[in-house]
Amino acid sequence: MEIKYNEIEKSLEIKDDLKNHYFLIKIIMILNLISATFQLSDINETEIGFIEITFLLVGISSLIILCIFVFKKSTSEKIPIEKIERLNEKTIFGKKRFSLKLSNGKNRDLTELKTQAEFAELKKLFSEIGITN
């Protein structure tokens, strides 16, 4: 992961493959929805069994995950400084995750930021720019 500050455009440039990863996740969720729809299309002719309940749960969870990835996650590679509210750090199962909270309500995940040293360097960059942590 490479994060650079562009002084001319006053923006952060993040180079990672997050856009490709999120695109693949969205495609998989859409395929899950299509599969669940086909499996549940003849529910009037058959009884509701274990398979139908399983595909109903798969369809609902895929729809929820798809909505999260479309409406709550950002994959922007060039983010203007005025759009960034703060740098978030949260611990999930003992592992630290970092993200940028954007002014439009979305989060830009920094998935390849692994070590505390990289995070400290990013915090230093943000304090120089004027973004709160």
Side-chain angles (χ1 to χ4, degrees), residues 75-88:
T75 59
S76 300
E77 293 179 351
K78 188 178 280 190
I79 304 170
I81 295 301
E82 63 268 2
K83 302 256 185 195
I84 301 173
E85 287 184 8
R86 67 179 179 273
L87 178 64
N88 289 336

Side-chain angles (χ1 to χ4, degrees), residues 51 61 64 72 90 92 95 97 102 106 131 133:
I51 302 268
S61 61
I64 291 169
K72 293 291 185 184
K90 61 179 151 174
I92 301 173
K95 189 173 183 182
R97 307 269 180 172
L102 304 178
K106 292 186 175 188
I131 299 172
N133 295 331

Side-chain angles (χ1 to χ4, degrees), residues 55-73:
F55 274 103
L56 183 65
L57 292 175
V58 166
I60 290 171
S61 61
S62 295
L63 186 63
I64 291 169
I65 292 170
L66 187 62
C67 287
I68 289 171
F69 275 89
V70 170
F71 297 116
K72 293 291 185 184
K73 300 285 184 178

Side-chain angles (χ1 to χ4, degrees), residues 63-130:
L63 186 63
I64 291 169
I65 292 170
L66 187 62
C67 287
I68 289 171
F69 275 89
V70 170
F71 297 116
K72 293 291 185 184
K73 300 285 184 178
S74 174
T75 59
S76 300
E77 293 179 351
K78 188 178 280 190
I79 304 170
I81 295 301
E82 63 268 2
K83 302 256 185 195
I84 301 173
E85 287 184 8
R86 67 179 179 273
L87 178 64
N88 289 336
E89 175 185 2
K90 61 179 151 174
T91 305
I92 301 173
F93 299 119
K95 189 173 183 182
K96 292 187 179 184
R97 307 269 180 172
F98 306 103
S99 66
L100 297 174
K101 174 75 173 166
L102 304 178
S103 60
N104 61 2
K106 292 186 175 188
N107 287 324
R108 171 59 162 94
D109 292 332
L110 303 172
T111 56
E112 294 182 18
L113 197 61
K114 301 291 183 193
T115 65
Q116 193 66 28
E118 291 174 344
F119 181 65
E121 184 179 321
L122 187 64
K123 276 179 126 174
K124 181 181 174 189
L125 173 69
F126 278 14
S127 64
E128 291 172 1
I129 296 170

